[in-house]
Amino acid sequence: DAMVIQNPRYQVTQFGKPVTLSCSQTLNHNVMYWYQQKSSQAPKLLFHYYDKDFNNEADTPDNFQSRRPNTSFCFLDIRSPGLGDTAMYLCATSRDRAEAFFGQGTRLTVV
Amino acid sequence: AQSVSQHNHHVILSEAASLELGCNYSYGGTVNLFWYVQYPGQHLQLLLKYFSGDPLVKGIKGFEAEFIKSKFSFNLRKPSVQWSDTAEYFCAVITYSGTYKYIFGTGTRLKVLA
């Protein structure tokens, strides 16, 4: 029944070692979002895809990249993770301006 | 810049007390408004949404929210909270300026004492 699936649920990576988080959806939604949520903070939008168009937030570090090879999949690449990138990463999808559906998140720990 | 403010960061209530959580947004265009809940260890779930029409919106689990356009507010209410309502609550707005963007407020952590 899961409609937005994120893998892995937990990821530990070494400082500076590239890591990729994945998100897939079965809803055929045209918008996909990536958020970073640190402990006791609100989800912070990193970037989103509107169809194939990539939209980066102005304050998203260059270290964070994304790919969307097709409607169903979206990836978050962190090229050189720092300790400050330890957080929960949330993927969400929506159909235009309708409500967003969230995945369970990937808890990333950088050591 | 578009933003969403939630003024209550931590709220502690006893069971059966009434709840009101404030949410204000800054955006001049048409907005869609949402409240999400995040139970401990779980993902964000939609409580209710406002697109247009009746400004008083009813959601799941007895929650409701009122959209007051003149005040740029979308406050969440529940007449009688339960221990199981202990969670974090996020107000969100979706705006459009060439593309759609979902922006969240800072969240309110609610603790209900049994």
Side-chain angles (χ1 to χ4, degrees):
Chain A
D1 289 314
M3 296 176 286
V4 182
I5 302 167
Q6 292 187 242
N7 283 301
R9 290 289 309 278
Y10 302 92
Q11 175 76 56
V12 180
T13 191
Q14 290 182 332
F15 181 95
K17 185 174 181 181
V19 65
T20 294
L21 311 181
S22 76
C23 176
S24 64
Q25 53 134 337
T26 59
L27 298 163
N28 201 34
H29 283 168
N30 60 333
V31 191
M32 292 187 79
Y33 304 85
W34 278 106
Y35 290 87
Q36 179 193 66
Q37 186 178 25
K38 295 189 175 180
S39 182
S40 302
Q41 296 183 22
K44 178 180 178 299
L45 183 63
L46 294 173
F47 26 59
H48 71 283
Y49 277 93
Y50 185 79
D51 296 322
K52 294 181 181 180
D53 295 333
F54 177 71
N55 298 274
N56 199 28
E57 291 301 295
D59 57 354
T60 298
D62 292 339
N63 203 21
F64 289 80
Q65 313 251 311
S66 186
R67 297 170 281 136
R68 189 179 186 185
N70 53 53
T71 301
S72 301
F73 285 87
C74 197
F75 299 96
L76 169 62
D77 301 307
I78 309 176
R79 289 190 298 186
S80 182
L83 298 179
D85 297 329
T86 291
M88 177 75 85
Y89 290 87
L90 303 172
C91 175
T93 73
S94 72
R95 166 65 55 187
D96 293 325
R97 63 192 310 147
E99 68 266 28
F101 290 79
F102 284 82
Q104 295 272 31
T106 294
R107 188 173 294 281
L108 176 68
T109 302
V110 182
V111 297
Chain B
Q2 304 130 2
S3 66
V4 181
S5 301
Q6 291 180 242
H7 307 295
N8 317 102
H9 298 298
H10 291 90
V11 174
I12 301 175
L13 295 172
S14 298
E15 273 195 316
S18 64
L19 170 72
E20 180 159 4
L21 302 182
C23 172
N24 289 89
Y25 65 92
S26 65
Y27 178 65
T30 301
V31 294
N32 289 358
L33 297 155
F34 307 86
W35 276 96
Y36 283 85
V37 61
Q38 189 171 32
Y39 298 103
Q42 295 190 28
H43 63 284
L44 286 156
Q45 300 172 40
L46 182 69
L47 268 180
L48 46 78
K49 61 187 178 186
Y50 174 80
F51 286 171
S52 63
D54 189 343
L56 185 61
V57 179
K58 294 194 183 300
I60 61 171
K61 305 188 181 191
F63 286 91
E64 64 179 31
E66 185 175 13
F67 171 56
I68 304 179
K69 189 174 181 179
S70 60
K71 294 184 178 180
F72 296 89
S73 70
F74 189 56
N75 292 354
L76 180 71
R77 300 195 291 249
K78 186 171 184 178
S80 176
V81 295
Q82 300 172 318
W83 177 81
S84 57
D85 293 325
T86 294
E88 189 146 20
Y89 293 81
F90 293 96
C91 181
V93 61
I94 189 164
T95 64
Y96 181 79
S97 55
T99 184
Y100 295 107
K101 283 176 59 171
Y102 241 87
I103 301 170
F104 282 86
T106 49
T108 297
R109 194 175 292 270
L110 172 67
K111 183 170 185 177
V112 180
L113 304 175

